[in-house]
Amino acid sequence: ATCSAPRPRSYLSTPREAGRCLRTMVVLSAAVCTKNGKALMSRQFVDMTRIRIEGLLAAFPKLLGTGNQQHTFIETDSVRYVYQPIEGLFLLLITNKASNIVEDLETLRLLSKVLPDIAQGVTEEAVQGKMFELVFAFDEVITTGGYREQISLQQIQTNLSMESHEEKLHKMIEQSKVASAKDEADRKAKTIREERKKMEGIG
């Protein structure tokens, strides 16, 4: 199954704007798939329907069978597939044909390091088990609109770790607020009880 976390798409509000963006975009989608074209995870960086991306991924193994095995990319009339086999799976970038192939290959090389590092293995089970973590990591490499960030594997690890720590810190703060509110409520309840006892004593 493909995985695509929600992203803002306001910049593709009209067909004319969509066409203008597609002429300048680089990476349309990054995916990890099997040799049969089954997507284990897929991240879109432009507005693409699920049917469209699944169709492109399903076409890949057929194109691979007819292409030159010495190359690491295949072109069709509309897109370019830039790929790297990794232990029985394929790491795949789908780009528009105007993209910079040299930069695409550099992006692919970086993602080929990110994949085993995040998934802790390169098997179907490992990839699917770390699907959302891989989406977050891919987002560190490629921005909305399909452009590559100038970033290293170490920086990606640091950013993801910081995000994780921030999330934990946020949870701790929220838990602290809840605990403080409970303590305050307990203090008020105790004060009210003491005041009632005094009033009863006076009465």
Side-chain angles (χ1 to χ4, degrees):
T2 60
C3 171
S4 181
R7 301 174 77 99
R9 304 295 190 185
S10 58
Y11 60 91
L12 293 179
S13 56
T14 68
R16 179 176 295 178
E17 288 175 1
R20 185 163 60 246
C21 287
L22 287 173
R23 283 196 294 272
T24 58
M25 286 173 181
V26 180
V27 179
L28 308 180
S29 177
V32 181
C33 60
T34 66
K35 290 182 178 179
N36 296 325
K38 173 189 173 185
L40 302 178
M41 63 83 59
S42 171
R43 181 55 158 153
Q44 284 69 260
F45 302 99
V46 303
D47 226 10
M48 298 177 70
T49 65
R50 181 172 179 173
I51 293 176
R52 170 66 170 157
I53 187 62
E54 287 181 349
L56 289 171
L57 291 172
F60 172 65
K62 300 172 186 176
L63 294 167
L64 188 64
T66 60
N68 187 330
Q69 298 297 313
Q70 293 180 346
H71 292 169
T72 55
F73 65 91
I74 302 170
E75 288 189 353
T76 68
D77 291 339
S78 58
V79 299
R80 178 187 293 138
Y81 296 87
V82 187
Y83 62 91
Q84 180 174 332
I86 306 179
E87 298 182 25
L89 302 178
F90 279 99
L91 178 60
L92 176 66
L93 299 181
I94 302 176
T95 77
N96 64 348
K97 293 175 70 174
S99 67
N100 184 324
I101 184 64
V102 175
E103 185 171 315
D104 292 341
L105 289 170
E106 290 176 356
T107 302
L108 190 70
R109 277 194 289 271
L110 177 56
L111 291 179
S112 71
K113 296 176 182 178
V114 169
L115 176 60
D117 182 73
I118 299 298
Q120 299 177 348
V122 189
T123 64
E124 289 191 34
E125 293 76 14
V127 171
Q128 291 179 323
K130 294 288 186 178
M131 186 184 302
F132 292 105
E133 288 86 348
L134 286 169
V135 167
F136 298 148
F138 280 25
D139 281 355
E140 293 289 330
V141 179
I142 305 168
T143 66
T144 299
Y147 295 100
R148 182 192 172 192
E149 291 278 17
Q150 296 301 318
I151 194 168
S152 67
L153 177 60
Q154 184 175 2
Q155 289 172 317
I156 292 169
Q157 293 168 333
T158 300
N159 290 349
L160 294 176
S161 176
M162 286 175 61
E163 288 172 7
S164 177
H165 288 161
E166 287 173 0
E167 184 178 356
K168 290 177 181 177
L169 180 60
H170 176 72
K171 288 181 179 178
M172 289 172 65
I173 291 172
E174 291 301 314
Q175 289 171 354
S176 177
K177 287 180 180 178
V178 170
S180 296
K182 186 177 182 299
D183 289 343
E184 182 64 21
D186 289 342
R187 280 195 296 270
K188 287 182 178 180
K190 183 179 180 181
T191 300
I192 291 171
R193 286 195 302 269
E194 289 175 350
E195 287 177 353
R196 283 178 179 172
K197 286 181 181 179
K198 288 180 181 179
M199 293 299 292
E200 288 172 0
I202 293 173

